[in-house]
């Protein structure tokens, strides 16, 4: 990957208008009238294109598993678990009611298959089994869920379990669910699971188990490849869905719909609106190198800084005016050791000099503290490069 200049010269001729009038247009939309809350965002920018009572605290039901999958994907990316690693189901995990893949106590299943069970069939037993494998206990995993929510700035979310089964004090909002979906979609691998309409577990055994996606839009709406449904008698019918068309990905959330038909119809209307009115222009993919910085007293003298997610600008179809630039601000005095993925600064996207979006930039790899010998060699090399002066 080449270092990307902070000013995107090739984009300076591209013009657009910021969709600041989106909220004015949304008032004309008759969507989610029978649901408790809803929201529509563009994934890369986070721009809100429509919302209805999106900060209303409500039970999220199995949409809770979006946060569960975020922590699973983090564990996979960090190497804490691998897709082919076998997870043993405890008696407690196997006892989960509601949606399940019917794990038996002591049964072993790979992380790959557990993810299928969670993403496609909303398996409560698989969710708890993965929680115990990653954090040691369901309680510790829930603590991690709430810590992650706090780190993401989700002020209206609190989890009591990793499944979404009814529990006092377990709540979220349409806005927070959309932001969780935005976070989960950083991991391109996840839609390989959430985008499957059907699959099987326990292949080549006499207990072969057919999985059918609880999100029927995966099959019936072009471009839908996730994310998670939810239903309890208290929460009613909920859905956080994502769809991609051309280079644009959007996320729609509906909570408290009276029926699956209404829920799916509302999501469909939101997607139709987004794709008819907007498009995106990609600036960076995830993990693009955007800057090289010096690291004081590191075992390596410099460090690559990369994007933490895909970065785009949102365009309103048919209306254009403005110039795009980007800038990178890296934290001062970065202390070693630095962990791969650690946030070290911020990328800003500007239109005519005005910031329209920001995104964290992260360390591309681990940087350890330099040893005494490494620092001595580095100092000696610098002296060797220094120009000599002739004394007359």
């Amino acid at each position: 990957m080449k270092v990307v200049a902070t000013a995107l010269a090739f984009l300076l001729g591209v013009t657009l208008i910021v969709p600041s009038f989106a909220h004015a247009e949304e008032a004309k939309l008759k969507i989610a009238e029978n649901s408790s809350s809803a929201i529509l965002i563009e994934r890369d920018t986070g721009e809100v294109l429509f919302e209805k009572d999106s900060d209303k605290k409500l039970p999220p039901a199995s949409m809770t598993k979006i946060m569960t999958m975020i922590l699973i994907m983090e564990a996979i990316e960090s190497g804490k678990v691998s897709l082919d690693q076998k997870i043993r189901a405890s008696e407690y995990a196997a006892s989960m009611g509601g949606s399940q893949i019917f794990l038996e106590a002591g049964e072993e299943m790979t992380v790959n298959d557990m993810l299928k069970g969670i993403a496609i069939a909303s398996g409560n037993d698989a969710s708890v089994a993965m929680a115990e494998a990653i954090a040691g206990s369901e309680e510790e995993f829930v603590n991690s869920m709430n810590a992650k929510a706090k780190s993401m700035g989700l002020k209206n979310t609190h989890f009591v379990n990793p499944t979404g089964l009814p529990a006092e004090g377990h709540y979220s909002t349409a806005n927070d669910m959309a932001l969780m979906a935005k976070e989960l979609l950083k991991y391109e691998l996840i839609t390989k699971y959430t985008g499957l309409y059907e699959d099987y577990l326990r292949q080549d055994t006499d207990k072969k188990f057919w999985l059918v996606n609880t999100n029927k839009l995966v099959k019936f709406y072009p471009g839908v490849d996730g994310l998670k449904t939810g239903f309890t008698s208290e929460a009613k019918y909920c859905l956080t869905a994502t769809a991609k068309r051309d280079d644009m990905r959007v996320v729609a959330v509906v909570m408290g719909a009276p029926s699956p038909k209404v829920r799916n119809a509302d999501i469909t209307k939101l997607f139709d609106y987004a794709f008819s009115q907007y498009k995106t222009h990609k600036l960076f993919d995830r993990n693009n190198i955007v800057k090289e910085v010096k690291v004081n007293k590191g075992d390596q003298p410099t460090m690559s800084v990369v994007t933490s997610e895909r970065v785009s600008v949102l365009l309103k179809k048919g209306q254009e005016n403005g110039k795009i630039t980007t800038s990178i601000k890296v934290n001062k005095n970065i202390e070693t050791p630095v962990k791969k993925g650690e946030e070290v600064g911020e990328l800003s996207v500007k239109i005519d000099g005005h910031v329209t979006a920001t995104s964290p930039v992260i360390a591309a790899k681990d940087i350890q503290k330099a040893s005494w010998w490494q620092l001595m060699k580095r100092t000696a090399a610098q002296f060797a490069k220094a120009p000599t002066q002739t004394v007359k």
Side-chain angles (χ1 to χ4, degrees):
M1 292 180 288
K2 296 181 179 179
V3 176
V4 182
T6 57
L8 298 178
F10 71 93
L11 281 174
L12 291 180
V14 178
T15 56
L16 68 149
I17 186 167
V18 184
S20 58
F21 49 82
H23 293 286
E25 287 197 356
E26 78 186 28
K28 302 175 185 177
L29 299 177
K30 292 185 177 180
I31 299 175
E33 292 181 300
N34 297 314
S35 300
S36 298
S37 68
I39 196 167
L40 172 69
I41 69 168
E42 191 278 321
R43 199 234 75 96
D44 292 353
T45 62
E47 179 76 30
V48 177
L49 308 180
F50 171 88
E51 68 90 28
K52 173 196 171 183
D53 294 333
S54 62
D55 289 324
K56 186 176 182 180
K57 293 179 182 178
L58 295 166
S62 280
M63 294 194 305
T64 296
K65 296 182 178 80
I66 292 176
M67 179 60 85
T68 299
M69 289 188 285
I70 289 173
L71 297 188
I72 293 172
M73 297 309 296
E74 286 185 347
I76 292 170
E77 186 156 282
S78 69
K80 189 171 185 177
V81 298
S82 63
L83 288 173
D84 58 359
Q85 178 180 335
K86 288 189 175 181
I87 304 298
R88 188 174 185 273
S90 68
E91 186 172 340
Y92 174 66
S95 73
M96 290 296 109
S99 301
Q100 54 187 298
I101 58 172
F102 300 98
L103 290 171
E104 295 181 2
E107 181 178 2
E108 291 188 339
M109 190 174 284
T110 64
V111 170
N112 179 68
D113 283 348
M114 288 285 191
L115 262 174
K116 287 181 185 178
I118 297 168
I120 302 173
S122 195
N124 294 325
D125 46 1
S127 298
V128 173
M130 286 302 304
E132 291 175 335
I134 290 171
S137 70
E138 181 187 40
E139 183 180 6
E140 283 304 311
F141 188 83
V142 171
N143 289 338
S144 296
M145 293 171 72
N146 287 317
K148 181 66 176 180
K150 184 177 180 180
S151 72
M152 291 172 60
L154 308 184
K155 297 180 180 179
N156 296 311
T157 292
H158 184 261
F159 298 112
V160 177
N161 57 57
T163 62
L165 287 168
E168 186 177 353
H170 190 102
Y171 57 83
S172 190
T173 67
N175 179 75
D176 285 3
M177 291 308 311
L179 293 176
M180 283 182 250
K182 185 179 189 297
E183 177 73 13
L184 180 59
L185 287 164
K186 288 181 181 179
Y187 304 97
E188 293 184 4
L189 175 65
I190 195 62
T191 54
K192 297 184 185 301
Y193 297 94
T194 61
L196 287 170
Y197 183 70
E198 60 183 349
D199 209 323
Y200 289 90
L201 296 177
R202 305 180 182 94
Q203 290 273 25
D204 304 321
T205 74
D206 58 359
K207 295 182 180 180
K208 189 174 181 180
F209 188 72
W210 184 36
L211 302 173
V212 181
N213 204 317
T214 56
N215 179 8
K216 304 308 178 189
L217 294 180
V218 166
K219 185 174 184 179
F220 297 109
Y221 191 98
V224 172
D225 52 5
L227 279 171
K228 193 70 200 70
T229 58
F231 171 77
T232 63
S233 57
E234 180 188 16
K236 297 183 181 179
Y237 293 90
C238 308
L239 175 57
T240 298
T242 184
K244 185 177 182 182
R245 189 170 296 176
D246 298 324
D247 212 27
M248 179 177 175
R249 179 177 287 282
V250 292
V251 172
V253 183
V254 168
M255 300 182 73
S259 70
K261 183 178 180 180
V262 170
R263 175 188 68 185
N264 292 349
D266 283 345
I267 294 288
T268 296
K269 289 176 185 176
L270 289 167
F271 285 160
D272 287 346
Y273 171 69
F275 292 126
S276 68
Q277 299 298 312
Y278 297 95
K279 61 182 179 179
T280 58
H281 190 99
K282 182 180 72 174
L283 305 181
F284 303 100
D285 282 315
R286 185 175 183 234
N287 290 325
N288 275 176
I289 297 175
V290 291
K291 200 174 185 66
E292 295 282 346
V293 297
K294 292 183 178 180
V295 182
N296 293 327
K297 299 181 180 180
D299 62 351
Q300 299 174 55
T302 62
M303 176 182 71
S304 296
V305 176
V306 301
T307 50
S308 62
E309 59 186 336
R310 203 179 104 132
V311 179
S312 302
V313 290
L314 183 64
L315 316 174
K316 185 70 169 66
K317 289 184 177 180
Q319 300 184 32
E320 298 154 348
N321 182 21
K323 291 185 178 180
I324 307 166
T325 57
T326 65
S327 60
I328 312 294
K329 184 177 181 181
V330 177
N331 300 341
K332 294 181 179 179
N333 302 319
I334 297 174
E335 297 289 335
T336 54
V338 179
K339 291 185 178 180
K340 179 181 178 181
E342 182 178 330
E343 187 174 328
V344 295
E346 187 175 75
L347 182 152
S348 296
V349 179
K350 299 178 182 179
I351 301 170
D352 289 335
H354 299 288
V355 176
T356 60
T358 59
S359 179
V361 290
I362 58 177
K365 57 183 177 181
D366 292 338
I367 303 290
Q368 304 298 332
K369 285 187 177 181
S371 66
W372 177 85
W373 177 242
Q374 286 175 315
L375 291 175
M376 284 291 293
K377 287 202 300 182
R378 196 173 299 162
T379 301
Q382 289 173 346
F383 273 116
K385 291 180 181 179
T388 56
Q389 294 183 345
T390 304
V391 179
K392 295 183 178 180

